[in-house]
Amino acid sequence: MSLIQPFKSEIDFATGDLSPQRATLRRRLSDMKLMYADRNEAARILSEEGDRLIYEVQGVELPEEEGQIPHCTTRILPGRVGDEYHMTKGHYHARREQGEVYFGLSGRGYLLLQTDSGQTSEIEMVAGSAAYVPPYWAHRTVNIGAEDFVFFSVWEARAGHDYGTIERDGFRMLVLLRDGQPTVVDNPKYV
Ligand code: S6P
Ligand code: ZN
């Protein structure tokens, strides 16, 4: 186990920016164009409007060892691809028995969750919401507002990330604009 010196980050709740600056991961539409229900619309945006930023993650890098507790911010920009709101890729933890905590910093979003065995849950999050992602639940976040949706996540370093299952099968629910409202619907293409 590495002996790490104690440290802190200052968080800008509106943007998720960390100070001092930490590693930043940016996901653009081209990184997830096959994940949106309307793939034709994703392709149209890419060719006519360019490769828009969907979300960014800023976090501390820690060794993937027992007892280390990585934490990061995620900022999802407002917008839709067709009727579907901007979202993260979503993942199971590679070690399914590891949970996580999400804390809303600004904006409005949904935390979508599902299990391998077919259970689903959706949690609306605003600034101040502390949501628990229990072990075994895949999780994806969606910006349902007009502003950035920003939240803070804390998990155990050995959890790891399984993106492949969601890339292959999709997520059981979609969040779509219906009658002027963000609405959670079953994904008709879920495998
Ligand atoms: C990590 C945690 C979050 C996400 C981040 C981006 O376990 O759940 O920090 O990594 O919100 O989502 P994704 O699905 O691209 O990792
Ligand atoms: Zn996670």
Side-chain angles (χ1 to χ4, degrees), residues 32-86:
M32 46 191 311
K33 60 185 181 220
L34 301 179
M35 301 188 109
Y36 283 95
D38 190 342
R39 291 183 180 180
N40 290 337
E41 177 61 7
R44 187 201 64 74
I45 293 169
L46 281 169
S47 71
E48 293 180 16
E49 299 173 18
D51 196 4
R52 67 167 75 150
L53 180 64
I54 305 287
Y55 65 101
E56 64 181 12
V57 181
Q58 300 182 42
V60 298
E61 293 188 314
L62 293 171
E64 290 190 8
E65 297 172 347
E66 179 178 6
Q68 303 288 357
I69 303 180
H71 47 283
C72 72
T73 60
T74 302
R75 174 173 77 104
I76 309 176
L77 282 72
R80 281 179 280 113
V81 175
D83 289 338
E84 191 172 15
Y85 289 85
H86 282 180

Side-chain angles (χ1 to χ4, degrees), residues 116-134:
D116 280 331
S117 56
Q119 292 172 278
T120 62
S121 175
E122 69 232 24
I123 294 177
E124 190 166 348
M125 292 189 65
V126 295
S129 304
Y132 182 46
V133 178

Side-chain angles (χ1 to χ4, degrees), residues 2-152:
S2 314
L3 184 63
I4 307 252
Q5 292 301 307
F7 65 89
K8 71 166 180 176
S9 311
E10 301 295 341
I11 303 175
D12 182 328
F13 285 15
T15 62
D17 286 348
L18 298 183
S19 176
Q21 208 171 8
R22 309 285 181 185
T24 303
L25 171 78
R26 295 193 173 85
R27 297 261 193 233
R28 297 186 174 277
L29 182 56
S30 60
D31 298 316
M32 46 191 311
K33 60 185 181 220
L34 301 179
M35 301 188 109
Y36 283 95
D38 190 342
R39 291 183 180 180
N40 290 337
E41 177 61 7
R44 187 201 64 74
I45 293 169
L46 281 169
S47 71
E48 293 180 16
E49 299 173 18
D51 196 4
R52 67 167 75 150
L53 180 64
I54 305 287
Y55 65 101
E56 64 181 12
V57 181
Q58 300 182 42
V60 298
E61 293 188 314
L62 293 171
E64 290 190 8
E65 297 172 347
E66 179 178 6
Q68 303 288 357
I69 303 180
H71 47 283
C72 72
T73 60
T74 302
R75 174 173 77 104
I76 309 176
L77 282 72
R80 281 179 280 113
V81 175
D83 289 338
E84 191 172 15
Y85 289 85
H86 282 180
M87 61 191 182
T88 58
K89 291 180 83 167
H91 58 269
Y92 286 91
H93 288 156
R95 291 179 54 150
R96 296 283 201 276
E97 67 273 24
Q98 297 283 358
E100 183 162 6
V101 172
Y102 277 20
F103 185 74
L105 301 179
S106 60
R108 277 177 71 213
Y110 270 122
L111 168 60
L112 304 179
L113 304 111
Q114 69 182 34
T115 64
D116 280 331
S117 56
Q119 292 172 278
T120 62
S121 175
E122 69 232 24
I123 294 177
E124 190 166 348
M125 292 189 65
V126 295
S129 304
Y132 182 46
V133 178
Y136 302 106
W137 289 80
H139 37 291
R140 164 180 279 169
T141 39
V142 183
N143 185 343
I144 57 169
E147 316 290 333
D148 288 347
F149 171 46
V150 183
F151 61 93
F152 184 68

